[in-house]
């Protein structure tokens, strides 16, 4: 723009001076045309640069908008994740409590069963011991009865042997008497 103004001033100054040659006018006209071409080129470049700048600004705005959307989505997802982690932790703690409670219940049930089994075993053992004692007492009593019966039969046998010996003696059979002597008593 400065060159163009200078060229115009130079042309105006030449127009005031009629003595200058046509060659100089042609040269200045050519310089003016070249300057105008450069100015047009610079304007075209400036226009392209402005269009490119607007394009970059639009893209930058779109990227910023997309970035803002993504940031808000990321923030929302992080909040959801934190909420899920809190829920998961609470659920995990609840599961641990439930498992602990179930373990306690099972332990108590097992302990009760063991106590019941021990109690039954103790009762069965006591019953068996009582039955065994009763059986032993009955057998001891039966043994006493058998011993008394044996002693009674032994006494009868001895008495019969003595009678037999006395009868043989009375009949004169001494040899037979010695064979039939009473047998000793059993303990």
């Amino acid at each position: 723009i400065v060159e163009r103004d200078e060229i115009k001033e130079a042309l105006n100054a030449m127009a005031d001076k009629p003595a200058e040659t046509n060659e100089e006018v042609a040269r200045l006209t050519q310089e003016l045309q070249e300057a105008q071409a450069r100015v047009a080129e610079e304007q075209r470049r400036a226009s392209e640069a402005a269009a490119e700048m607007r394009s970059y600004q639009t893209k930058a705005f779109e990227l910023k908008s997309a970035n803002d959307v993504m940031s808000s989505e990321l923030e929302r997802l992080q909040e959801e994740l934190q909420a899920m982690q809190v829920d998961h932790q609470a659920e995990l703690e609840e599961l641990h409590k439930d498992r602990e409670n179930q373990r306690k219940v099972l332990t108590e049930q097992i302990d009760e069963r063991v106590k019941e089994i021990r109690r039954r075993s103790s009762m069965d053992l006591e019953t068996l011991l009582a039955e065994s004692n009763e059986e032993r007492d009955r057998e001891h009593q039966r043994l006493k009865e058998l011993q008394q019966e044996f002693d009674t039969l032994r006494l009868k046998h001895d008495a019969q042997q003595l009678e037999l010996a006395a009868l043989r003696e009375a009949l004169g059979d001494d040899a037979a008497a010695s064979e039939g002597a009473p047998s000793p008593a059993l303990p």
Side-chain angles (χ1 to χ4, degrees):
I1 294 176
V2 173
E3 287 181 14
R4 187 175 172 194
D5 290 340
E6 288 177 5
I7 293 174
K8 279 186 180 182
E9 285 178 15
L11 283 176
N12 286 336
M14 287 174 125
D16 291 340
K17 295 182 188 175
E20 295 192 5
T21 63
N22 280 337
E23 237 176 69
E24 188 145 337
V25 172
R27 185 183 62 76
L28 287 176
T29 303
Q30 178 147 358
E31 282 182 20
L32 176 63
Q33 287 174 350
E34 288 174 2
Q36 286 174 342
R38 281 195 303 269
V39 167
E41 181 64 23
E42 287 298 319
Q43 285 176 343
R44 185 188 64 76
R45 284 185 188 166
S47 175
E48 286 177 0
E52 197 172 309
M53 180 63 104
R54 280 190 301 273
S55 173
Y56 286 141
Q57 286 175 341
T58 303
K59 287 180 182 179
F61 178 75
E62 289 172 357
L63 288 173
K64 185 181 181 315
S65 297
N67 190 24
D68 290 345
V69 168
M70 291 169 99
S71 293
S72 66
E73 183 67 18
L74 178 63
E75 189 175 307
R76 185 187 64 77
L77 289 174
Q78 285 176 338
E79 288 172 1
E80 282 183 20
L81 180 62
Q82 287 176 348
M84 287 174 64
Q85 285 176 339
V86 167
D87 290 346
H88 180 358
Q89 186 64 30
E91 188 175 322
L92 186 62
E93 288 173 5
E94 186 66 30
L95 287 173
H96 283 303
K97 286 178 185 177
D98 287 349
R99 187 177 74 189
E100 187 62 27
N101 289 339
Q102 287 178 353
R103 189 189 64 77
K104 282 181 181 178
V105 167
L106 286 175
T107 302
E108 289 172 2
Q109 288 176 349
I110 290 170
D111 289 346
E112 287 298 318
R113 294 278 262 174
V114 167
K115 286 177 185 177
E116 180 64 23
I117 290 170
R118 285 181 181 164
R119 186 183 64 78
R120 284 184 185 171
S121 294
S122 177
M123 288 174 54
D124 289 348
L125 182 61
E126 288 175 7
T127 303
L128 285 174
L129 286 174
E131 289 175 359
S132 176
N133 286 339
E134 287 175 9
E135 183 68 27
R136 190 181 69 227
D137 289 346
R138 280 194 303 268
E139 287 177 2
H140 187 64
Q141 183 64 32
R142 178 74 178 137
L143 184 61
K144 280 183 180 181
E145 289 172 0
L146 288 174
Q147 186 67 40
Q148 285 177 353
E149 189 178 333
F150 178 76
D151 289 344
T152 303
L153 289 174
R154 173 63 73 193
L155 287 174
K156 281 184 185 180
H157 178 266
D158 288 346
Q160 287 175 352
Q161 287 293 330
L162 287 174
E163 282 179 33
L164 182 62
L167 283 174
R168 284 189 181 164
E169 198 177 296
L171 292 174
D173 192 9
D174 289 327
S178 63
E179 288 177 10
S183 61
L186 292 175

